[in-house]
Amino acid sequence: MTIKEIAQLAGVSSAAVSRYLNGGYVSDEKKEQIKKVIEETGYQPSAQARILRTKRACLVGVVVPKINSESISRVTAGIEQVLSRRGYQMLLASTDNQPAKEITYLKLFESYPVDGIVLIGTMITGEHKKFLKESKVPVVVVGQYTKYANCIYHDDYGAGKAMGKIVADSVRGKGKVAYIGVTREDKAVGAAREDGFRAGLRAEGVELEEGYTRKSQFTMESGYQAALDLLEKKKDIAIISCATDTIAAGAIEALHACSEERIPQSIQNSGTRMKYILDSSGTRITGFGDNQFLKAVTGGIPTVHFGYKTSGIRGAELLLDVIERGEKIPIEMKLGFRLVNKDK
């Protein structure tokens, strides 16, 4: 059907139908008439006609490192909230934490076409910088700082420093501090958090000693292996701080693997298994991310809450401002953090 036919059935002008479809002003009475006809006929506006008319596809490409992540789901929920409210749809591409795939999907979206791209970045390589400088569509980077595109990022250094101070204060006279991080090619989670953590310890007169650090992937399994290696080689660890809550979950399981204590069957098959391990262990675990599932099964560990959904909302708003208004002023937005369960 055409707009003209919809207008005839609704008893309104074609201009009124056009305004209704494009979010313009239409009286409440006419809105109801048009809405009723559209619902009865199943009318869908022609995407090709809309692109020709508005020069926009109303599509935004979103590149994420993985989809089975609570933090990423919070970011994408924020993006979707803004896009749907403003008449856009989201095309999602997951890279399985492979930076090379990010470039592949960025180029794919650029030629698709989409009106803009949100990159939830893991690292900014030379190829990333080249794409961001030459991209034919606007790009907003969420989660990493870059001077080559508009970006929304978290205060990972500040969060790491705050956590380091808490850990230093609670570890005095009890043993050593260990840290499980990720690749420093990830400037936010890998470099900034660890550097901040070390600075926080140092400010309180504590050092992260050589031999008490490990590198992990962004998985529970990798966190388990890293923590197991630490605990088997160092018997004086009082606290293991982890770069993410997912890694921390693996570290909790490693505590049990290194313990000779058996978990009672009634607890083994319940949702309190991890809480029991923590309560019966002399070693504390901390993380970053405020993962709600981990909180549910442990009662909460010392961690850091980041505004992941807020970053998605701000990133989408920023991108649409560029698409619709042609905003040219470069934006770098750093979001804060909140310490959670710091006394546990």
Side-chain angles (χ1 to χ4, degrees):
M1 298 186 71
T2 65
I3 285 179
K4 184 177 180 180
E5 289 170 327
I6 292 295
Q8 289 174 343
L9 290 172
V12 299
S13 67
S14 297
V17 177
S18 181
R19 287 197 302 274
Y20 174 88
L21 293 172
N22 291 289
Y25 174 76
V26 182
S27 69
D28 290 341
E29 182 182 352
K30 289 181 179 179
K31 274 184 184 177
E32 286 303 315
Q33 292 171 237
I34 297 168
K35 181 181 177 182
K36 183 180 179 182
V37 171
I38 287 175
E39 289 176 348
E40 289 175 349
T41 61
Y43 171 77
Q44 290 289 332
S46 165
Q48 290 81 4
R50 180 181 61 195
I51 292 172
L52 288 172
R53 183 178 69 256
T54 65
K55 302 298 188 289
R56 288 199 296 267
C58 289
L59 294 172
V60 168
V62 179
V63 182
V64 304
K66 56 183 177 179
I67 55 176
N68 59 336
S69 161
E70 185 179 275
S71 59
I72 298 301
S73 69
R74 287 191 230 166
V75 179
T76 53
I79 294 170
E80 173 62 21
Q81 178 179 309
V82 173
L83 296 184
S84 61
R85 186 175 69 237
R86 292 174 61 170
Y88 286 77
Q89 291 181 310
M90 177 172 69
L91 300 178
L92 191 66
S94 176
T95 67
D96 195 27
N97 278 310
Q98 297 182 44
K101 277 191 175 181
E102 291 181 356
I103 302 299
T104 300
Y105 282 123
L106 287 170
K107 291 179 177 178
L108 177 65
F109 279 143
E110 181 187 32
S111 60
Y112 180 69
V114 296
D115 300 308
I117 301 171
V118 177
L119 168 64
I120 304 176
T122 56
M123 58 186 70
I124 305 297
T125 66
E127 284 190 87
H128 285 82
K129 293 173 184 177
K130 184 175 186 295
F131 177 85
L132 293 174
K133 287 190 289 186
E134 299 175 357
S135 176
K136 299 179 181 65
V137 297
V139 182
V140 170
V141 177
V142 172
Q144 295 283 343
Y145 168 79
T146 177
K147 63 182 180 181
Y148 299 99
N150 290 334
C151 61
I152 313 287
Y153 62 103
H154 303 283
D155 185 6
D156 288 283
Y157 182 88
K161 188 172 184 179
M163 180 60 76
K165 288 183 176 182
I166 289 172
V167 167
D169 186 58
S170 63
V171 79
R172 298 185 196 282
K174 298 178 181 177
K176 301 291 187 180
V177 178
Y179 185 83
I180 302 176
V182 299
T183 173
R184 291 183 64 84
E185 290 182 353
D186 185 322
K187 299 302 182 185
V189 180
R193 283 186 196 175
E194 181 176 341
D195 291 348
F197 184 76
R198 288 177 180 272
L201 291 177
R202 199 171 298 120
E204 300 298 319
V206 177
E207 289 291 335
L208 185 56
E209 298 179 16
E210 186 176 351
Y212 286 81
T213 64
R214 294 292 186 276
K215 286 290 186 287
S216 169
Q217 302 296 318
F218 287 85
T219 65
M220 182 175 171
E221 294 77 14
S222 185
Y224 171 84
Q225 293 297 334
L228 193 63
D229 187 53
L230 273 169
L231 292 165
E232 287 176 344
K233 293 177 179 176
K234 304 292 182 181
K235 303 301 182 181
D236 55 353
I237 296 174
I239 297 180
I240 301 177
S241 289
C242 304
T244 74
D245 278 2
T246 301
I247 294 171
I252 293 171
E253 288 297 332
L255 288 179
H256 173 59
C258 289
S259 170
E260 296 180 359
E261 182 177 353
R262 296 188 63 181
I263 299 175
Q265 194 64 39
S266 59
I267 293 175
Q268 179 72 32
N269 299 324
S270 74
T272 60
R273 183 177 185 279
M274 281 191 168
K275 186 176 187 305
Y276 180 87
I277 294 170
L278 282 172
D279 291 345
S280 60
S281 171
T283 305
R284 295 177 67 203
I285 304 292
T286 74
F288 290 82
D290 193 18
N291 183 286
Q292 295 304 295
F293 174 76
L294 186 61
K295 181 178 180 180
V297 297
T298 63
I301 63 171
T303 186
V304 176
H305 179 88
F306 294 106
Y308 290 121
K309 185 173 182 179
T310 300
S311 70
I313 290 171
R314 297 288 176 264
E317 289 174 341
L318 181 54
L319 181 66
L320 296 189
D321 284 347
V322 175
I323 292 170
E324 296 177 350
R325 303 176 194 169
E327 296 286 354
K328 300 295 184 182
I329 301 174
I331 300 293
E332 299 171 1
M333 186 182 299
K334 180 166 72 173
L335 302 180
F337 61 89
R338 185 178 78 251
L339 291 168
V340 179
N341 305 319
K342 60 183 179 181
D343 297 323
K344 288 202 172 187

